[in-house]
């Protein structure tokens, strides 16, 4: 955290030298709001908004064909997760990270260029803020003119403002992305380290035209435009041919990311169903795990992990997806985005994952998971009224709420890609094989450890 703060100070120093830019000379009149800034940007960058509007960062969804053959429009705007639930039942708060202004309902004009927020990705001052309760409008105290006069290429802090804080806080959701990656040392991530390659996010992820390569397993289960380590690391890379043979069926990340959440804790389990109770708030007052609260009245119980060993599974690039309204079996755990692949699948490799366990409401009569309305005057975080939050949440998706709800166990799987350790810290043979090995061989389709021939 100390390195992150120092880095932000350094960013401010760099920004102070950026006043002598062409943008200072080109943009001189006060800007009333974010849309006015965008209109100024588009005077010179005429195609920028159009290119942004073709990307998932803008639409928050795309048409996908799932493994079971269903063709659906799926993405952040309508997926149901086991963190904060869904955007669709909490527009104004959740879309504050969107690269647009004022997405507070279904009628948001995705086809209006002036609704594109250029500054959220190109600010270099560190002063740009979006209102968390207005669907992404610029916070009133921001000097928009100063920000517009000092735009530049995105930094890791730029991307991290949303991606490090997914799920409601630093490191909560992904586990392999948090504030420690803003200015990491080599031992944490060799690619992003300030004493290493010092990559920005777009050096790996950019495709051109504001399109970014790479897709989240949770919102793009049918994605085909994957990229991985092979983008830069090709051919026989190890001095030991045995390791190269492993690489044919074992993902690079499996050996080179021995653990995630190495400096900042990540949420590993979230029990929404204990939320809203004063007795539990009093009982667990001040109780923490790795410095994070184990109970809050608005969110229920949480379990936190630090230096977490991943779960491992075969993955061929596709996954199942739970769609809102799908029936569940409440006697079993509902996997919201199970990765596809098996030992006999030639396209699959063993990948590392963070598995987040949830406990969330479902309709006892209709047997589907229920979206929650958590924000705003009638949201659960204000009312602590389950009936109200479930009724409003169901209505947002066009679901029928029977008035009776129970608790369902769920899992979501997050592929681990960041926090690549130096090669000398990669896993060794006995980290996976042998009596204390970390792999669950039977779950991976083996009778026993394949090194154990007897």
């Amino acid at each position: 955290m100390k390195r992150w703060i120092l880095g932000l100070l350094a960013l401010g120093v760099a920004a102070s030298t950026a006043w002598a830019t062409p943008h200072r000379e080109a943009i001189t009149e006060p800007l009333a709001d974010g849309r006015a800034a965008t209109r100024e940007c588009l005077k010179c960058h005429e195609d920028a908004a159009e290119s942004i509007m073709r990307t998932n960062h803008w639409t928050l969804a795309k048409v996908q064909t799932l493994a079971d053959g269903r063709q659906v429009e799926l993405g952040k705007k309508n997926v149901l997760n086991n963190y904060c639930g869904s955007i669709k039942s909490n527009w104004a708060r959740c879309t504050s990270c969107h690269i647009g202004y004022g997405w507070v309902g279904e009628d948001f004009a995705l086809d209006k260029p002036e609704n594109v927020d250029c500054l959220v990705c190109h600010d270099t001052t560190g002063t740009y803020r979006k209102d968390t309760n207005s669907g992404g409008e610029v916070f009133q105290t921001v000097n928009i003119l100063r920000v517009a006069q000092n735009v530049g290429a995105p930094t890791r802090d730029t991307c991290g403002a949303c991606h490090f804080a997914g799920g409601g806080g630093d490191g909560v959701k992904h586990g392999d992305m948090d504030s420690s990656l803003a200015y990491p040392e080599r031992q944490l991530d060799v690619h992003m380290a300030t004493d290493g390659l010092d990559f920005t996010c777009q050096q790996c992820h950019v495709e051109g035209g504001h399109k970014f390569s790479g897709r989240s397993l949770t919102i793009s289960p049918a994605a085909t435009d994957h990229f991985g380590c092979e983008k830069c690391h090709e051919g026989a890379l190890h001095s030991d041919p045995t390791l190269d043979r492993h690489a044919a069926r074992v993902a690079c990340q499996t050996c080179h990311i021995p653990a995630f959440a190495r400096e900042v804790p990540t949420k590993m389990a979230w029990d929404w169903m204990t939320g809203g109770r004063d007795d539990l708030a009093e009982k667990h007052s001040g109780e923490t795990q790795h410095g994070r609260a184990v109970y809050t009245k608005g969110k229920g119980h949480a379990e936190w992990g630090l230096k977490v060993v991943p779960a491992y599974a075969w993955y061929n690039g596709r996954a199942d997806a739970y769609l809102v309204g799908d029936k569940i079996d409440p006697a079993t755990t509902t996997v919201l985005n199970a990765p596809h692949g098996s030992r006999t699948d030639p396209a699959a490799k063993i990948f590392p994952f963070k598995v987040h366990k949830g406990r969330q409401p479902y309709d006892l009569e209709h047997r589907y998971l229920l979206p929650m309305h958590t924000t705003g005057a009638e949201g659960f975080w204000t009312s602590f009224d389950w009936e109200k939050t479930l009724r409003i949440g169901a209505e947002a998706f066009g679901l029928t709420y029977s008035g009776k709800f129970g608790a369902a166990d769920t899992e979501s799987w997050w592929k681990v890609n960041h926090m690549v350790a130096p090669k000398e810290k990669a896993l060794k043979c006995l980290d996976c094989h042998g009596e204390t090995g970390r792999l669950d061989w039977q779950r991976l389709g083996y009778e026993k450890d394949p090194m154990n021939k007897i």
Side-chain angles (χ1 to χ4, degrees):
M1 182 63 73
K2 182 179 179 182
R3 290 201 313 278
W4 190 34
I5 295 171
L6 291 174
L8 288 174
L9 292 173
L11 179 65
V13 171
S16 69
T17 67
W19 282 91
T21 69
H23 295 93
R24 188 182 184 190
E25 298 173 4
I27 307 173
T28 58
E29 297 298 322
L31 299 171
D33 55 22
R35 291 173 184 81
T38 295
R39 286 191 289 269
E40 286 293 320
C41 297
L42 295 179
K43 288 179 181 179
C44 293
H45 306 281
E46 297 174 358
D47 299 328
E50 185 179 341
S51 69
I52 277 284
M53 290 159 67
R54 291 194 294 264
T55 70
N56 293 352
H57 265 121
W58 179 249
T59 61
L60 297 188
K62 67 175 182 178
V63 175
Q64 304 181 57
T65 303
L66 303 180
D68 61 9
R70 288 183 290 178
Q71 191 172 71
V72 295
E73 185 185 46
L74 188 65
K76 259 186 197 303
K77 77 173 185 180
N78 58 3
V79 76
L80 185 63
N81 62 40
N82 58 9
Y83 284 87
C84 290
S86 66
I87 289 178
K88 201 169 185 177
S89 53
N90 300 283
W91 285 111
R93 179 69 172 269
C94 292
T95 50
S96 63
C97 261
H98 185 243
I99 54 173
Y101 304 115
W103 193 350
V104 295
E106 292 279 6
D107 58 350
F108 178 70
L110 284 167
D111 59 346
K112 267 193 167 182
E114 67 180 25
N115 280 343
V116 174
D117 184 351
C118 304
L119 302 183
V120 72
C121 290
H122 292 285
D123 168 45
T124 66
T125 69
T127 64
Y128 193 67
R129 298 288 183 273
K130 288 163 78 74
D131 188 345
T132 58
N133 294 301
S134 66
E137 299 286 2
V138 184
F139 204 70
Q140 290 182 352
T141 59
V142 173
N143 184 336
I144 300 177
L145 175 60
R146 183 193 172 210
V147 174
Q149 290 176 328
N150 291 279
V151 292
T155 66
R156 286 197 297 269
D157 285 308
T158 310
C159 304
C162 288
H163 291 284
F164 293 166
D170 188 12
V172 168
K173 185 179 286 183
H174 292 280
D176 65 332
M177 284 197 288
D178 56 46
S179 62
S180 67
L181 289 183
Y183 300 92
E185 295 174 353
R186 183 173 176 271
Q187 59 82 27
L188 179 62
D189 190 291
V190 295
H191 297 115
M192 303 169 80
T194 51
D195 57 343
L197 296 173
D198 202 14
F199 284 173
T200 59
C201 302
Q202 62 267 32
Q203 282 177 267
C204 280
H205 288 279
V206 75
E207 288 185 11
H210 288 102
K211 185 177 181 183
F212 291 86
S213 52
R215 296 290 177 264
S216 167
L217 182 68
T218 58
I219 57 176
S220 296
T224 57
D225 51 348
H226 298 282
F227 84 98
C229 307
E230 298 84 0
K231 179 178 180 180
C232 295
H233 304 282
E234 299 179 299
L237 299 172
H238 305 91
S239 57
D240 183 346
T242 300
L243 297 180
D244 283 327
R245 288 196 298 272
H246 273 66
R249 299 306 310 274
V250 179
C252 305
Q253 296 95 315
T254 296
C255 294
H256 289 278
I257 309 177
F260 58 86
R262 298 218 293 274
E263 293 188 6
V264 174
T266 189
K267 189 172 282 191
M268 297 300 296
W270 190 331
D271 185 354
W272 272 102
M273 305 310 298
T274 59
R277 293 178 52 180
D278 289 319
D279 60 326
L280 292 178
E282 182 178 356
K283 178 180 178 180
H284 296 287
S285 176
E287 186 178 343
T288 62
Q289 185 180 23
H290 302 301
R292 300 289 183 92
V294 301
Y295 183 86
T296 58
K297 185 179 177 181
K299 298 181 178 181
H301 278 96
E303 294 180 15
W304 299 90
L306 192 64
K307 297 179 174 63
V308 182
V309 173
Y312 298 95
W314 292 103
Y315 178 52
N316 63 13
R318 298 179 66 83
D320 287 325
Y322 176 84
L323 302 182
V324 175
D326 283 352
K327 301 289 186 183
I328 69 165
D329 177 359
T332 64
T333 297
T334 299
V335 183
L336 301 178
N337 60 327
H340 270 222
S342 69
R343 179 186 172 189
T344 58
D345 181 348
K349 291 185 177 184
I350 297 173
F351 275 87
F353 294 89
K354 171 187 169 178
V355 180
H356 180 262
K357 297 183 180 299
R359 195 163 172 264
Q360 57 197 109
Y362 79 99
D363 192 289
L364 285 172
E365 182 177 318
H366 300 293
R367 289 178 51 216
Y368 42 56
L369 296 177
L370 288 166
M372 296 176 288
H373 175 59
T374 56
T375 63
E378 294 187 295
F380 187 74
W381 293 339
T382 301
S383 69
F384 304 109
D385 184 334
W386 275 113
E387 293 294 332
K388 184 179 292 185
T389 193
L390 296 179
R391 177 179 51 79
I392 296 174
E395 288 174 357
F397 280 89
L399 296 176
T400 300
Y401 172 46
S402 70
K404 296 174 289 185
F405 68 95
D409 292 320
T410 59
E411 284 182 359
S412 58
W413 287 63
W414 300 79
K415 188 155 70 76
V416 174
N417 293 308
H418 305 88
M419 299 188 179
V420 177
K423 62 182 180 180
E424 60 270 18
K425 297 293 185 181
L427 295 182
K428 305 297 188 292
C429 299
L430 292 180
D431 288 316
C432 294
H433 299 284
E435 292 182 3
T436 59
R438 59 174 61 193
L439 295 189
D440 184 340
W441 294 108
Q442 290 187 341
R443 179 168 185 161
L444 291 170
Y446 298 86
E447 290 185 10
K448 58 186 177 181
D449 183 342
M451 278 192 66
N452 185 357
K453 304 297 183 181
I454 302 176

